[in-house]
Each structure stands twice: as structure tokens, then as C-alpha cells.
Amino acid sequence: MSGFLGYLRPDGQVGIRNHVLVLPTVSCANGTVNMIRESLKNITAIFHCHGCGRAGKDFEIHMRTLVNIGKNPNVFAVCVIGLGCEVIKADWIASGISESGKPVKALEIQRNGGSRNTAKKAISICKEFLELAKKENRVPAKFADITLGLECGGSDGFSGITANPAVGVVSDWLISKGGTLILTESTEMIGTAHILSRRAVNAAVACRVENVIVEAEERAKNILGPMASMVIAPGNMDGGMTTIQEKSLGCITKAGSAPVEDVVDYGMHPSKKGLIIMDGPGYDTESMAGLAAAGAQVIIFTTGRGTPAGFPCVPVIKIVSNSRTFGEMEGDFDVNAGTLLEGETLEDVSKRIKGKLISVLNGEKTRAEQNSQEGVICLYTGLPSF
Amino acid sequence: MKDAKIAKAFTINPADNVAVVLSDVRPGSTVILPDGKSITAKTEIPVAHKVALRKVEPGEAIIKYGETIGFAKVLIEQGEWVHTHNMGYEE
């Protein structure tokens, strides 16, 4: 099999879903977005808690993240809902998204007669978008068109020895097909600067890899002081991880062995293919928002303790590291990699993950999609989060 | 399985001086490694945690993935649980 069936977008990107997205620019618009969702079950609504009271670097991060989530190829059309007096303007977001050539409309609550009237107008816009979306058909596409986001959350002592190495094999396969991988969560690369910079394609990229990891370490030290060497959530401690170096080594194995082609900021769309490192926090929901903005059509998320979270417009494939957690929360996982500890080979486990990935590209719903683990996103701010 | 006298452990890299135990381990249990060799557990070791494969001197590196993941804070005997109480990453 050399490819999959996807939705070709006007900018040449290929989506694996066909969402009509309703995107608030500010949390004050969340109520209106909810009214729209209650009337139209087929739209995809995103809620978030930012959009105002931000300046400088934060403003830039929010602008590009919201615009780029709208540009994500899984999104067919976007209805942007603003309030009117916020810092991040609905028209600016809509105008940024329109560069991709997809249908987009913006409405401000203060200019459209309040929340109910705005919802009413938005519902008629979304109905038109949904009709147009129905006319889109899947067409043959290449694996080279895929950007796979890599994520881990609620890791345990098995994540780094089962799920992540198995995903690493799939990562190497996607790279061999000409695809793109995004490895993020800078906090979880602390301690591996010497390994990742060795894999950079040139000295300039190596320097940026080191900078991203050194900055992540400095942020951790500033916030946590003497505890910085243990920047691991208590759950991870319970799971058998002792130091961030241990967790980081287990974490980066999911990106396989490809050279690092480039380093990008949070929520930025990479201009190169191959393995990309995106600067960003270790907090899963913020991290997944950054991956969606970077153009990932699909995310592979490894977990040990069990994390159900998905993302509104990007299917998230959950790989669990051990059979015990799989047995306890089976309905939240797509693949159990814990069988590696029970005698299944790395090759066979990775084949199952690759098979699941290809099915999801072709439209099969992930457990997170089936379980409605979507709706609310967190956006990264200039303030560090872990 | 808590009372099992035999437990399994998983090693990743031949250079590693720790392995990950696949079930809760009690002191005195036999821990079987992937190469068929075995060691005797000296302490309790919770599932998914690390067991020392050999004696590690204070200050010596703890190796997993073939890389340094931290340093021994005290003498660690073969078969002991390796975690925050006896290792850390202080440069």
C-alpha cells in the first residue's frame, strides 16, 4: 500500500478529516460557540480560555496558534466567533485562515446583536459550510503528505521500553515514505541535548536544538529551584521514573532515528519535511494544540498511567505501555504495546501501530474521537507550564 | 502475584546497570532477566521500577538506554530498588 484516501485542500495540503470548525477568538465567546454546537451536532467546536489581556510574545503565540489551527488540513471551513473588544480580533484570525483558500467567516458578538443573535447567524453560515463539506470526497494521497505529531502523557516505567520504541519504528517508516514527524515537549527533552543535537542535519540546527533544551531547563530551574532535576509529575514518580533524563531518553525514542531537519517555535508550520523539533510545553493539551497548529493531521500519543484526552480536529491515537492499564481503561486506548513484555516482538507491535495509523488516516475513528475527548483546548502562553 | 517468589525484569541496552521489573517484587524473590540469568531481590521493588543489576558505588552513573540517567547517592547493592531515595541527577 503506497498511500491513503484523504481530502485535498485548496493549498495542496491533505486532510484526513473534514471538519467545519467553530473557533472562538476569546473565552468570552465560548457560550455562543456552545449554542451553535447544541443546534448543529455535526460542527466541531473548540473552546479555550485565552484571547484577551495578552501582549508581546503571548499575543504572537495566540495569533499564530489560532490561525494555524484553522489552517490545519483536517479543517474544511471555519466560522470564527469574536466578542469585539478583545485583543485577538476575529477578523484578523479569519483573514489569516483565508490564506489557505478554505471557506471562512468571522462574526463579532458586539456587532451582531449579542450572543443569541450571533449564534443564529453563525448557525446559518455553518449550515452552508456543512452542505459544501458533504460534496468533498476522499481522493488518493501519499504518506509523504502526512505530518505525524508525537506526544506522551502520564508516562510510566514501561512507556520508554514498550510504547515509545514501538512508535519509533513507525516514525522511521513514515520518514522512509517522505513524511514529516514533529517531536515536541521541550521540557521532556532535558538531559538529551547531547543526543538530539548529534542528530541535527547541520551545525545551525544542532545549535537551535541545544538552545531549545537549555531554555527549557532554565525555565524549569527558575520555577522549581532545587527541585528542577526532578521535573516529573508525581504520577510519573509513582510509575517508576526517577529523573528527567530517564524519562527524556524514553520519550525521544518515539521519534525513531531520523536526522533532525529543523527546529520551529510552538504552533509554527514547519517549512521542511522529515523530523522536526517544535519548542513547546510538556502539558499535553497545550502541546496537542501546538501540534494541530503546526499542521499535524494525526497525533500518536503514548501513555502508561492512561490519559483519555484527544484534540477537537486532529485524531489522537492512544498507545498504552502496559497490559494492566490497558485492562483497566481499555475503552480509551487504540493499541496495547504492553504485549512486548509478554513475548510479542517489537516488529509485531509496531506493525499493529502502523496498521492502526493507516486505518485512522482512511477515516477510522480513534478511541478519543469515539469518546468525545475533544472540545476544550489550552493554548501555550509565555508563562511556562508543565 | 504479590507473593510470587519469581519475577521477571526487562533490560533495554546491554550497557545498562538497572532493569525494569514487570511485577511487584518482594525481598528474596528471584528476578529473571531476558538473557535467562537471574538475581535475588534485596528489597521490595514496585512494578515498573528499577532493580540494580550489579553493585553501584556512590557517585557512579546509573545507566539505562545505554545512557546516564543519574548517579548513585549511596552504595547500591545488586538486587536493590533504585529510585529517588538512592539516586538523583546532581551535577
Side-chain angles (χ1 to χ4, degrees):
Chain A
M1 199 187 300
S2 62
F4 67 101
L5 297 175
Y7 298 97
L8 183 62
R9 302 302 178 203
D11 60 0
Q13 293 195 81
V14 177
I16 65 166
R17 296 292 183 268
N18 203 35
H19 293 287
V20 170
L21 192 69
V22 180
L23 181 68
T25 54
V26 63
S27 59
C28 317
N30 283 349
T32 305
V33 172
N34 194 42
M35 288 180 206
I36 303 163
R37 183 163 76 159
E38 281 179 358
S39 292
L40 296 173
K41 298 293 177 201
N42 289 338
I43 60 116
T44 302
I46 284 190
F47 303 98
H48 65 87
C49 305
H50 297 288
C52 201
R54 302 275 173 184
K57 195 185 165 199
D58 259 5
F59 173 78
E60 289 169 29
I61 290 172
H62 284 112
M63 278 294 289
R64 75 163 172 263
T65 306
L66 291 172
V67 167
N68 287 348
I69 286 174
K71 282 182 169 175
N72 184 291
N74 290 348
V75 175
F76 167 73
V78 191
C79 183
V80 183
I81 307 293
L83 177 60
C85 54
E86 70 274 31
V87 171
I88 308 272
K89 301 289 182 204
D91 283 346
W92 300 344
I93 299 295
S95 136
I97 295 169
S98 69
E99 286 171 12
S100 63
K102 65 180 70 173
V104 55
K105 286 261 170 69
L107 290 175
E108 284 185 345
I109 295 165
Q110 289 164 351
R111 287 163 129 193
N112 285 281
S115 51
R116 289 213 171 269
N117 288 326
T118 306
K120 224 168 146 184
K121 287 183 187 175
I123 288 164
S124 80
I125 290 168
C126 288
K127 276 182 180 165
E128 280 176 36
F129 286 167
L130 286 167
E131 282 307 309
L132 289 172
K134 274 187 202 161
K135 293 176 186 159
E136 294 289 308
N137 290 312
R138 286 182 181 263
V139 295
K142 291 179 185 143
F143 294 125
D145 294 319
I146 288 298
T147 297
L148 168 64
L150 299 168
E151 177 67 39
C152 52
S155 299
D156 71 357
F158 296 132
S159 298
I161 60 175
T162 59
N164 290 350
V167 171
V169 175
V170 178
S171 291
D172 283 343
W173 165 78
L174 184 63
I175 292 286
S176 77
K177 295 286 175 189
T180 302
L181 286 175
I182 304 180
L183 178 68
T184 183
E185 304 182 288
S186 316
T187 321
E188 289 166 15
M189 296 176 207
I190 296 172
T192 61
H194 58 296
I195 299 166
L196 283 171
S197 62
R198 244 182 356 235
R199 283 169 53 184
V201 286
N202 59 45
V205 172
C207 183
R208 287 165 65 205
V209 170
E210 288 206 14
N211 284 346
V212 160
I213 301 174
V214 165
E215 279 169 23
E217 192 164 1
E218 278 170 8
R219 279 200 298 268
K221 281 180 177 162
N222 287 340
I223 295 166
L224 293 161
M227 283 297 289
S229 63
M230 299 286 178
V231 194
I232 310 178
N236 295 321
M237 292 282 193
D238 290 341
M241 293 281 115
T242 307
T243 63
I244 189 71
Q245 282 78 14
E246 178 179 14
K247 183 176 174 179
S248 297
L249 281 159
C251 185
I252 65 171
T253 61
K254 66 184 182 296
S257 56
V260 180
E261 297 287 340
D262 206 0
V263 178
V264 296
D265 285 340
Y266 176 85
M268 261 185 189
H269 199 285
S271 57
K272 290 181 182 154
K273 286 183 170 268
L275 173 59
I276 308 294
I277 288 179
M278 181 179 82
D279 190 17
Y283 177 34
D284 307 330
T285 46
E286 289 180 343
S287 184
M288 288 193 285
L291 289 169
Q297 297 102 323
V298 60
I299 292 171
I300 291 187
F301 187 129
T302 62
T303 183
R305 316 252 313 156
T307 307
F311 191 82
C313 59
V314 179
V316 179
I317 301 171
K318 287 283 161 60
I319 316 291
V320 65
S321 71
N322 67 89
S323 295
R324 186 157 81 172
T325 306
F326 180 69
E328 284 166 2
M329 299 173 56
E330 192 177 341
D332 286 300
F333 308 119
D334 298 283
V335 178
N336 174 20
T339 49
L340 199 54
L341 302 172
E342 294 141 26
E344 193 179 6
T345 63
L346 185 69
E347 195 191 348
D348 287 344
V349 176
S350 58
K351 263 186 195 160
R352 286 195 289 121
I353 297 172
K354 184 181 138 190
K356 177 59 71 173
L357 171 65
I358 294 171
S359 299
V360 169
L361 296 182
N362 282 304
E364 185 187 300
K365 287 201 169 188
T366 64
R367 285 290 167 88
E369 284 177 298
Q370 290 165 25
N371 294 336
S372 302
Q373 293 292 336
E374 50 185 36
V376 180
I377 61 161
C378 296
L379 298 180
Y380 184 45
T381 73
L383 301 167
S385 66
F386 294 97
Chain B
M1 290 296 285
K2 273 223 161 192
D3 295 310
K5 287 274 185 262
I6 295 176
K8 282 185 181 173
F10 196 86
T11 49
I12 300 160
N13 190 292
D16 295 355
N17 56 16
V18 289
V20 178
V21 297
L22 304 185
S23 57
D24 288 325
V25 173
R26 296 175 69 111
S29 298
T30 301
V31 179
I32 300 167
L33 306 172
D35 62 6
K37 289 179 188 166
S38 63
I39 58 171
T40 303
K42 286 225 164 39
T43 60
E44 287 204 4
I45 307 154
V47 59
H49 282 242
K50 295 177 288 298
V51 58
L53 294 175
R54 60 170 176 80
K55 190 175 182 178
V56 184
E57 299 289 339
E60 200 184 329
I62 307 292
I63 310 285
K64 190 179 167 189
Y65 299 101
E67 302 276 352
T68 299
I69 61 161
F71 300 93
K73 290 196 277 203
V74 293
L75 176 75
I76 302 173
E77 296 286 353
Q78 183 191 60
E80 263 191 66
W81 179 30
V82 180
H83 198 38
T84 49
H85 61 289
N86 57 10
M87 73 162 284
Y89 203 102
E90 304 301 326
E91 286 177 60

